Amino acid sequence: MNRKILSLFLIGVMAFAVVASGCISGGGSTSTSSSAPSTSSSAVSTTTKTGGKVVWASTQLMPPAERAFILNTVLPGFKKQTGIDAQFVPISYFDLSTRLAAEEKSGKVTIDLIGDLHGAMDYYQSQGWLMDLSNMPQLKGRTFISTFEKYAMIRGTKAYIPWMSATYVMVINKEAFKYLPSGLTEQDVMQGTSKWTYDALLAWAKNIYEKTGKKELGFPVKGLFHRFLHGYLYPSYTGYEVKKFDSPEAIQMWKYLKNLWQYVNPSSTTWDEMADPLLRGDVLIAWDHTARIKDAITKEPDKFVVVPVPRGPKGRGFILVVAGLAIPKGAPNKDAAWKLIDYLTTPKVQAETLAQTGFFPVVKEASEQLPSGPLKVLAKGVAAQESTSDALVVMIPNLGKYGGQFGELYKEAFRRIVLQGQDPATVTKDIGAQLDKLFQEAGVPLP
């Protein structure tokens, strides 16, 4: 399944990379794409001004710069084109699921549109909170990448419309290539060959430290570092995100990370994103979400390259992020919500979203809108990661309101093992039991 997911996803990502060189549709596929899509903007239904208001609750695009893009560019453009006011409500996963549960139970729904990740959408759909979008008007002028349409079909229902995609990658300051360890070449790193391993990363970071006296590897420990733990290291070393949490392979992984941490910039525990540390020169090598390293690439495109993550004993684990747009049952203004979905998935707005946030388009026609320049660096790196032969594609678990607890457990394991020096076997047994209980309460199988 992972291979199939990867090959389908690459159709879109490689298109973006070429032009920028610079969590199978069924039933309702005709409502979101056309076999012969129109390239004329007049084909988009949102050109008809209708007035009204739509309340859009989103767990995505919450950081200040991303929120500013929505408030200052997207929503004014939407109103100008449609006459519809839209209220953007940034909200956490827990708060959104709690609010949806209360509103659906009371029958007094106030949210018209939801923006969230695939896993959360799967949870919302399992609770019966989402409309089936199969019979909504056709979205013309765009062709959705088939992988994302496949994920949008949940339990036989078109639960959401694909909105954005992303992943997490490594960013290298070209200066770091001066310190490559023996046996590892720049080409190995850029292409993600079998020699680009986590052991090679350790040797590289150690080499930089021994020759410069600086710890030049960095991670956003206050940010999305838990994604690195569950979606990158764990599958790369154990083949699973959770199922082998306290296995011998996991113990080996934690010992590796503890060893690696000798060469990680100590300020990593204070960072929530890696763009600024890269730009300041605090680190030469960093891992983070594509949206959170975009500013470094945009401001210094000749200074950095985006490369695949290393591989482990089981393969090259990495997360594929899929965000979607859904309409809750009982939404007071579903027609206005659909028009906003229409607007957000137009090729022009999709390309602008990549340029402003680092989230990749989900429609093929957006590749024609991508400018050359810094995005070339980002797109090529993403394409290289997705095309590695040893890829292990991971989706963020659909835990709904338990999602926050899931990430915190991985962070707790990291703090206890790596920062406090506790025994990995003891900690993983303790945390593993808590993870098992969490998934049982959520009613979700271990990924």
Side-chain angles (χ1 to χ4, degrees):
M1 176 61 73
N2 282 347
R3 291 287 180 188
K4 187 175 181 180
I5 292 171
L6 178 62
S7 62
L8 291 170
F9 178 62
L10 276 172
I11 295 173
V13 175
M14 289 301 292
F16 301 151
V18 170
V19 176
S21 342
C23 275
I24 304 170
S25 65
S29 62
T30 57
S31 70
T32 58
S33 63
S34 170
S35 58
S38 169
T39 57
S40 170
S41 61
S42 63
V44 182
S45 64
T46 54
T47 55
T48 302
K49 296 188 177 182
T50 60
K53 182 178 181 180
V54 56
V55 175
W56 175 20
S58 176
T59 65
Q60 303 302 296
L61 305 186
M62 292 177 64
E66 297 171 7
R67 190 183 308 185
F69 166 63
I70 294 295
L71 297 178
N72 301 331
T73 301
V74 173
L75 297 188
F78 173 64
K79 183 173 182 179
K80 181 179 179 181
Q81 186 163 310
T82 65
I84 300 173
D85 287 310
Q87 179 186 359
F88 183 67
V89 182
I91 190 169
S92 70
Y93 300 107
F94 177 78
D95 289 344
L96 179 54
S97 61
T98 301
R99 179 171 168 178
L100 281 173
E103 292 191 358
E104 291 293 339
K105 184 176 181 179
S106 68
K108 298 178 181 179
V109 179
T110 63
I111 299 171
D112 298 298
L113 182 65
I114 298 167
D116 212 331
L117 298 180
H118 167 82
M121 294 295 193
D122 188 65
Y123 175 75
Y124 302 152
Q125 179 64 5
S126 72
Q127 302 302 304
W129 297 340
L130 304 182
M131 277 183 55
D132 182 351
L133 301 179
S134 300
N135 297 319
M136 296 300 285
Q138 187 179 46
L139 299 174
K140 300 179 180 179
R142 73 217 73 181
T143 306
F144 287 86
I145 296 170
S146 59
T147 296
F148 303 130
E149 284 203 306
K150 169 185 174 291
Y151 276 113
M153 294 296 297
I154 302 176
R155 297 175 178 82
T157 298
K158 195 164 195 63
Y160 65 86
I161 300 299
W163 173 28
M164 306 182 300
S165 68
T167 187
Y168 304 72
V169 292
M170 298 207 81
V171 183
I172 310 293
N173 184 318
K174 294 177 183 178
E175 189 76 9
F177 288 123
K178 294 180 180 179
Y179 309 106
L180 282 169
S182 177
L184 184 68
T185 68
E186 183 174 337
Q187 184 179 27
D188 288 328
V189 177
M190 295 289 290
Q191 296 181 358
T193 72
S194 60
K195 293 182 179 180
W196 178 219
T197 65
Y198 280 104
D199 286 337
L201 174 64
L202 171 60
W204 195 0
K206 180 180 180 182
N207 209 33
I208 292 173
Y209 177 68
E210 290 177 344
K211 293 185 177 181
T212 69
K214 297 179 180 179
K215 299 181 179 182
E216 298 271 20
L217 174 61
F219 296 93
V221 175
K222 286 187 67 178
L224 297 170
F225 185 58
H226 56 292
R227 300 300 184 206
F228 180 70
L229 298 174
H230 81 78
Y232 286 70
L233 280 184
Y234 254 97
S236 295
Y237 274 80
T238 75
Y240 297 91
E241 288 181 83
V242 180
K243 190 174 291 186
K244 292 190 175 183
F245 189 85
D246 59 351
S247 64
E249 295 90 344
I251 304 303
Q252 177 191 359
M253 182 272 288
W254 283 111
K255 289 180 178 179
Y256 163 81
L257 184 58
K258 187 173 181 179
N259 195 14
L260 179 69
W261 214 256
Q262 299 175 80
Y263 309 107
V264 171
N265 190 308
S267 294
S268 288
T269 56
T270 70
W271 291 332
D272 55 13
E273 57 84 31
M274 295 309 300
D276 288 343
L278 284 163
L279 288 168
R280 290 194 302 263
D282 293 337
V283 295
L284 295 179
I285 304 172
W287 172 95
D288 208 346
H289 191 288
T290 51
R292 298 191 176 192
I293 51 88
K294 183 190 71 67
D295 283 350
I297 306 302
T298 300
K299 293 176 181 178
E300 299 277 2
D302 297 327
K303 191 173 184 177
F304 302 107
V305 289
V306 177
V307 304
V309 293
R311 64 162 287 143
K314 299 296 184 180
R316 200 177 311 269
F318 62 85
I319 291 173
L320 173 61
V321 180
V322 182
L325 298 162
I327 300 176
K329 290 181 178 177
N333 200 345
K334 69 176 184 180
D335 291 334
W338 186 255
K339 289 181 182 296
L340 183 52
I341 290 175
D342 191 331
Y343 184 77
L344 292 170
T345 58
T346 56
K348 181 177 183 295
V349 175
Q350 288 270 295
E352 289 176 348
T353 301
L354 171 58
Q356 295 299 320
T357 72
F359 282 93
F360 282 80
V362 295
V363 298
K364 296 180 180 180
E365 289 80 6
S367 62
E368 300 171 6
Q369 305 281 342
L370 294 180
S372 60
L375 292 181
K376 171 184 177 180
V377 178
L378 190 58
K380 285 182 68 175
V382 171
Q385 178 163 286
E386 308 304 336
S387 62
T388 52
S389 60
D390 51 6
L392 293 176
V393 178
V394 174
M395 295 292 286
I396 296 173
N398 54 316
L399 289 166
K401 65 181 181 180
Y402 298 98
Q405 297 176 54
F406 172 74
E408 284 303 316
L409 286 172
Y410 282 84
K411 289 183 178 181
E412 180 183 342
F414 166 75
R415 287 191 295 268
R416 291 172 59 181
I417 296 171
V418 178
L419 300 184
Q420 298 173 8
Q422 296 184 31
D423 175 49
T426 301
V427 175
T428 55
K429 184 177 181 180
D430 178 21
I431 301 295
Q434 294 182 58
L435 281 169
D436 286 344
K437 182 179 179 181
L438 185 68
F439 275 79
Q440 290 175 12
E441 291 179 353
V444 176
L446 294 178

